[in-house]
Amino acid sequence: MAGRFYGVGVGPGDPELMTLKAKRILDKVDIICAPKSKAGKDSIALSIVDEVVSTEGKIKELIFPMTHNQDRLDKFWNEAVDGIQAELKEGQEVAFITLGDPLLYSTYIYVLKRLKNRSSAVKIKTVPGVNSFSACAAAMNQPLAEKNETLSIIPAAYDYDNLDEILDTFDNTVLMKVARNFDEVVAKLEKLEMKENSFYVSKCGRDEELLTKDLDSLLGDELDYLSLIIAKQRGEE
């Protein structure tokens, strides 16, 4: 009998923000798939799990390069799913760990789609996790939205011709993975008079966590990939 496949969100970085359900599943599975961007580099998701779960003999590392080349991405996604399917056919219980929540801008989504397309017989369970922007808002004691405010979530590593319009339309905006376009985003926030009501967070919940409202101090810097800005139309009343 084929094993069950789990997609497990392990939260934004603080091991204490892993859910009890995530820990229970990772304790019981036979294989934990740990995504990483290249060989020889540590998996951030695994570094979180290692603090609360005994992973010895369970780890299967999967490479997912950071690139916008779709052919290259397809190659690695398909190879990863091949490896997962091989374990499932042996009756192994397999978990795929991912930062934050598995169904929000996560590599797990592409693995999930391929598994579902290849076989309807695979039993799949997705376990939600704490989103990075929820943890960042909590770290700054700043509400994401209140009363009738609207909230947008943007993967800011991509280019948007209509970013000004998005920022102007929604009361509050989460700009995820903002490092690549940070200076441009800050310029737009200043133009829309939102900069003073915005804040930046990187590596939330980890020892190297950085939280600041002084966006100008970061202009021109090489910022961490796991960083975001929460931009607000209005300040606190």
Side-chain angles (χ1 to χ4, degrees), residues 180-224:
R180 177 172 174 264
N181 294 316
F182 180 81
D183 289 12
E184 177 187 349
V185 168
V186 172
K188 291 183 183 296
L189 293 175
E190 185 165 26
K191 174 184 172 184
L192 295 168
E193 299 183 349
M194 296 175 66
K195 187 176 70 173
E196 301 306 315
N197 300 327
S198 303
F199 59 91
Y200 168 92
V201 185
S202 66
K203 297 185 177 180
C204 187
R206 305 177 71 196
D207 292 339
E208 310 93 333
E209 178 182 84
L210 172 64
L211 308 93
T212 183
K213 294 195 72 174
D214 185 5
L215 304 186
D216 287 342
S217 68
L218 302 173
L219 292 172
D221 289 354
E222 185 175 345
L223 303 177
D224 189 80

Side-chain angles (χ1 to χ4, degrees), residues 29-87:
V29 297
D30 304 298
I31 303 291
I32 298 175
C33 295
K36 54 197 298 188
S37 59
K38 59 184 177 181
K41 188 170 183 177
D42 292 336
S43 166
I44 299 174
L46 181 57
S47 70
I48 297 168
V49 170
D50 272 336
E51 295 200 34
V52 291
V53 173
S54 177
T55 62
E56 187 175 356
K58 288 186 172 187
I59 301 304
K60 183 181 186 72
E61 294 184 337
L62 300 175
I63 305 297
F64 298 97
M66 294 172 63
T67 176
H68 293 303
N69 183 313
Q70 192 59 53
D71 289 339
R72 182 167 162 77
L73 287 172
D74 285 336
K75 174 181 180 294
F76 280 91
W77 290 340
N78 288 329
E79 287 178 355
V81 174
D82 289 343
I84 291 169
Q85 279 192 306
E87 301 289 358

Side-chain angles (χ1 to χ4, degrees), residues 112-131:
L112 174 65
K113 286 180 177 179
R114 281 163 172 74
L115 276 176
K116 289 169 69 175
N117 288 337
R118 290 188 187 189
S119 173
S120 60
V122 177
K123 295 180 179 179
I124 301 172
K125 178 75 173 179
T126 301
V127 181
V130 176
N131 287 306

Side-chain angles (χ1 to χ4, degrees), residues 145-160:
E146 56 184 304
K147 295 183 180 178
N148 64 338
E149 287 183 338
T150 55
L151 177 69
S152 63
I153 304 167
I154 304 297
Y158 295 90
D159 297 317
Y160 286 87

